[in-house]
Amino acid sequence: MTITEVPQNAAPDTPVSHPPVAASGAPEKVSGAAWGVSRPDKRKTIKPKRDRFTAALPYFAAVFGTLVGGIGFATSYQTLAKVALSWGFGEDLSRWFPVGVDASILAFLALDLYLILKGIPWPVLRMAAHGMTGATIWFNASAQGEIGADPVKAASHGVMPVLFVIGVEAARRLFIQKAQLEAGTVTDRIPLHRWILSPVATPRFYRRMRLYGVSSYPEMIRRQQDLIAYEQWLKRKYEGDLSRATEDERLPMKMAAYGYTVAEALAMPEKQERDAEAREEEAERRRLDAETRKELARKKAEADRLEAQGKLEAVRARVEGETGQARAHARAQVSAAERAAELEEAALETAVIAEARAREAEAERKEAQEREAKAAADVRAAELERQAAEKRRLAAEADRVAAAEAQAIETAEIAEARQRAAEADRVAAETERAAAETRRRAAEADRLAAQEAERKATADANTQATRKREAESEYAAAERRLAAAEIERRAVEIEDAAKLSPRERSVRKVARMILAAGGDADQVLLADIQRETAVSSTDTASKYRQEAVDLLNQGYCPEQ
């Protein structure tokens, strides 16, 4: 720390810094003056005994000061009112002119006192009050004509405002002194005789008092005496050669101009060393604190990082487990849907085969109908042949009768030949009739077989149509299951992206079950919910179903 860095406010005396008398060998009274002279006792406020006269002085001053002020104001008012009327102010305005002049003095001085009491003085107010005082004195002195024409008369009119201002200044000084006493900032004045007797050194003395806050004049004298005594002691120590003194010993003479006492100047090196050591200790402590805080921050950051990493791993494991479970479930549903699709394709192929068989049965039925029609035609042909045979038999019978009738005429050989021919015709007719009956029975059998084949074909066609409808229903159900599996897969992916909790996933799964049941929550059984969400409590399953209903009422859509 350099000398210029030392605080300029004087500090209390430090007895330790006084030079030791025994070590230096200097007598106790170096300057030949008694210590009581060189070190006057600190001032003590002497409160004289207040008698009745002293106690009455403020009241006398107040009464007579008010009387003098009132007389001065009244005199000034009459004078200024007349002169303002002669100056052309008008009758009404001339009565207010002296009030404005004299009241401004009171207002400025009152504001000045108020700002001083508040600790924010403004000298402009006092200068303005003094300016208005000079103006009212000038106005009163010149109200009766030229001042030089009758100076006594002019002075008689101007002296009353002067008395009024003197009274106000006295009150101002009293208030200022009281405020300084309360604030502890009262500063002694240097006596006039010192300015006269020591005109060269007194300005430096005054400068040191004002610059470095020494408010006590006796205290400043004591400091000056201590400095002179120390300088004389130092001269005696080094036999009048002060250049042999060390820098620390010459400090009181150097630092006196900066408001330091002898003790403070001598204690300065030790104090600076202690301050330097304290600064070094403080710097070391701050460095250690900074290192400790840095280490703590590093360890805390490492702990936070490890904790965050652990939480991240736990969340990642949980999410991966839920995601794997959802994906396995989705894959199982997709596999089931694929197997259902394969079964549906097989059912579809079976339906196609059944349809082909139905077409074959239809063809066979048509063929049977054709055979039946052919058999019917054969039956009709056989009937016609039978009728023809019957007609031929009748004709033969007629011929036989005719032959019998002509038997008498024909010879016996001719009759025998005709009989043999008729018998042959009869046998042929019988044979033809038996063949026709055989063909009719065969046609009837064919017709019955065709009807049976038609009934069988119709039954096969109905069976194939039923199988086809079942296959179509199974295919539609497989498509619905496949769509549901796709919706479930997309929902699981959306839930994985949204990082939903297991409960939210379960509620959404129940909502999808309700949608699959047509939107009717009552159709979804609690047992199914327990099985799908892997919960054992029916109460939890009921809560899941209610939350799923609320979610659907809020507009939940699995595909979004």
Side-chain angles (χ1 to χ4, degrees):
M1 178 183 289
T2 60
I3 292 176
T4 57
E5 294 175 350
V6 178
Q8 296 181 350
N9 292 331
D13 294 342
T14 308
V16 181
S17 63
H18 288 290
V21 177
S24 62
E28 182 180 358
K29 299 179 182 178
V30 178
S31 61
W35 282 106
V37 177
S38 61
R39 294 182 180 273
D41 295 335
K42 291 186 177 180
R43 291 186 304 166
K44 296 181 180 179
T45 304
I46 301 174
K47 296 182 179 179
K49 187 176 181 180
R50 296 174 62 88
D51 53 12
R52 294 181 179 178
F53 178 74
T54 305
L57 279 179
Y59 300 101
F60 279 108
V63 172
F64 288 105
T66 304
L67 180 61
V68 170
I71 294 172
F73 181 77
T75 304
S76 175
Y77 180 84
Q78 293 291 336
T79 304
L80 293 181
K82 290 179 181 180
V83 73
L85 187 61
S86 65
W87 286 346
F89 277 88
E91 185 176 355
D92 294 333
L93 190 59
S94 63
R95 290 196 296 267
W96 292 101
F97 176 73
V99 176
V101 173
D102 293 336
S104 64
I105 300 173
L106 291 175
F108 292 155
L109 290 176
L111 283 173
D112 182 45
L113 289 175
Y114 180 75
L115 293 179
I116 289 173
L117 291 176
K118 292 297 182 180
I120 48 174
W122 192 31
V124 175
L125 292 173
R126 190 180 182 191
M127 289 187 292
H130 288 173
M132 294 304 297
T133 301
T136 189
I137 292 173
W138 177 261
F139 293 155
N140 280 276
S142 62
Q144 304 301 321
E146 291 292 334
I147 297 176
D150 193 352
V152 177
K153 186 177 180 180
S156 65
H157 283 279
V159 70
M160 295 308 294
V162 173
L163 296 177
F164 169 70
V165 173
I166 289 174
V168 174
E169 283 291 330
R172 178 182 180 278
R173 183 176 180 82
L174 178 62
F175 279 114
I176 292 175
Q177 186 70 13
K178 182 180 178 182
Q180 289 179 347
L181 284 173
E182 292 177 352
T185 58
V186 178
T187 303
D188 294 344
R189 293 182 178 275
I190 297 177
L192 180 62
H193 65 270
R194 186 177 181 91
W195 291 95
I196 297 173
L197 297 177
S198 181
V200 178
T202 301
R204 294 195 297 271
F205 191 88
Y206 176 80
R207 179 178 179 274
R208 288 165 60 188
M209 284 185 65
R210 291 297 179 266
L211 287 180
Y212 303 109
V214 183
S215 60
S216 174
Y217 175 69
E219 172 65 17
M220 195 65 198
I221 291 177
R222 185 187 65 80
R223 293 188 181 192
Q224 189 72 15
Q225 289 176 346
D226 288 346
L227 182 63
I228 294 173
Y230 178 78
E231 187 176 0
Q232 292 299 322
W233 171 80
L234 202 60
K235 285 181 179 179
R236 291 189 61 181
K237 179 180 178 181
Y238 293 104
E239 297 178 355
D241 188 5
L242 294 179
S243 61
R244 295 166 54 189
T246 62
E247 290 291 333
D248 292 345
E249 290 176 334
R250 289 198 298 267
L251 275 177
M253 281 78 78
K254 293 180 180 179
M255 301 305 296
Y258 299 98
Y260 282 83
T261 63
V262 174
E264 292 169 352
L266 291 174
M268 186 182 297
E270 183 180 356
K271 181 176 181 299
Q272 289 176 343
E273 291 178 358
R274 288 198 305 270
D275 292 342
E277 291 176 357
R279 286 194 299 273
E280 291 177 358
E281 292 175 358
E282 181 66 18
E284 183 66 17
R285 185 184 65 79
R286 290 181 180 177
R287 186 183 65 80
L288 294 176
D289 289 345
E291 291 180 356
T292 303
R293 287 194 300 272
K294 186 184 297 184
E295 184 66 19
L296 289 175
R298 187 181 65 79
K299 292 184 179 298
K300 186 176 182 301
E302 182 67 19
D304 292 342
R305 186 182 65 80
L306 292 175
E307 183 178 1
Q309 187 175 0
K311 290 181 179 179
L312 179 61
E313 292 296 333
V315 172
R316 183 178 296 166
R318 181 174 59 80
V319 171
E320 288 179 355
E322 293 176 356
T323 305
Q325 182 180 1
R327 287 177 179 172
H329 184 64
R331 283 196 298 269
Q333 290 183 345
V334 171
S335 299
E338 289 177 353
R339 287 194 299 272
E342 291 176 357
L343 293 174
E344 288 162 3
E345 289 178 359
L348 182 61
E349 292 178 357
T350 305
V352 171
I353 294 171
E355 186 176 0
R357 290 180 179 176
R359 286 196 297 269
E360 291 178 358
E362 182 68 19
E364 290 178 356
R365 185 181 63 80
K366 290 180 179 180
E367 186 178 355
Q369 288 178 353
E370 290 177 358
R371 287 197 302 270
E372 183 179 359
K374 184 177 180 182
D378 291 340
V379 169
R380 286 193 298 271
E383 183 66 23
L384 291 175
E385 288 179 358
R386 186 184 64 79
Q387 293 176 0
E390 184 67 22
K391 289 179 178 180
R392 285 194 299 271
R393 185 184 66 79
L394 293 175
E397 185 68 24
D399 290 340
R400 186 179 64 78
V401 173
E405 291 176 352
Q407 187 176 8
I409 302 170
E410 294 178 355
T411 60
E413 290 85 2
I414 296 172
E416 185 66 25
R418 289 180 178 176
Q419 184 178 2
R420 285 194 299 268
E423 186 65 24
D425 290 336
R426 185 184 64 80
V427 172
E430 288 290 335
T431 304
E432 185 68 23
R433 186 171 65 250
E437 184 65 20
T438 302
R439 286 194 297 271
R440 185 184 66 78
R441 284 196 295 269
E444 184 67 20
D446 291 338
R447 184 179 66 79
L448 294 176
Q451 289 179 353
E452 184 65 24
E454 182 179 1
R455 285 195 300 270
K456 185 178 179 181
T458 302
D460 291 340
N462 293 333
T463 303
Q464 296 300 326
T466 302
R467 291 180 180 176
K468 181 179 180 182
R469 286 193 298 272
E470 291 176 355
E472 289 176 353
S473 300
E474 186 68 22
Y475 183 74
E479 286 185 345
R480 287 194 298 272
R481 288 194 296 272
L482 182 61
E486 182 64 23
I487 291 172
E488 182 72 18
R489 185 183 62 79
R490 287 200 297 270
V492 169
E493 291 178 353
I494 292 172
E495 291 170 359
D496 291 340
K499 296 181 179 179
L500 299 179
S501 64
R503 183 181 183 88
E504 292 174 339
R505 292 173 181 268
S506 299
V507 171
R508 280 163 172 74
K509 182 178 289 186
V510 175
R512 291 192 292 272
M513 292 172 64
I514 294 174
L515 289 176
D520 189 1
D522 295 334
Q523 297 295 326
V524 180
L525 300 179
L526 295 180
D528 296 337
I529 296 175
Q530 288 178 295
R531 185 181 64 257
E532 291 295 330
T533 58
V535 295
S536 58
S537 174
T538 57
D539 183 59
T540 304
S542 178
K543 290 180 180 179
Y544 282 179
R545 185 168 63 181
Q546 183 59 40
E547 291 179 7
V549 171
D550 296 338
L551 186 64
L552 291 174
N553 291 334
Q554 294 174 4
Y556 170 70
C557 182
E559 298 181 356
Q560 294 180 354

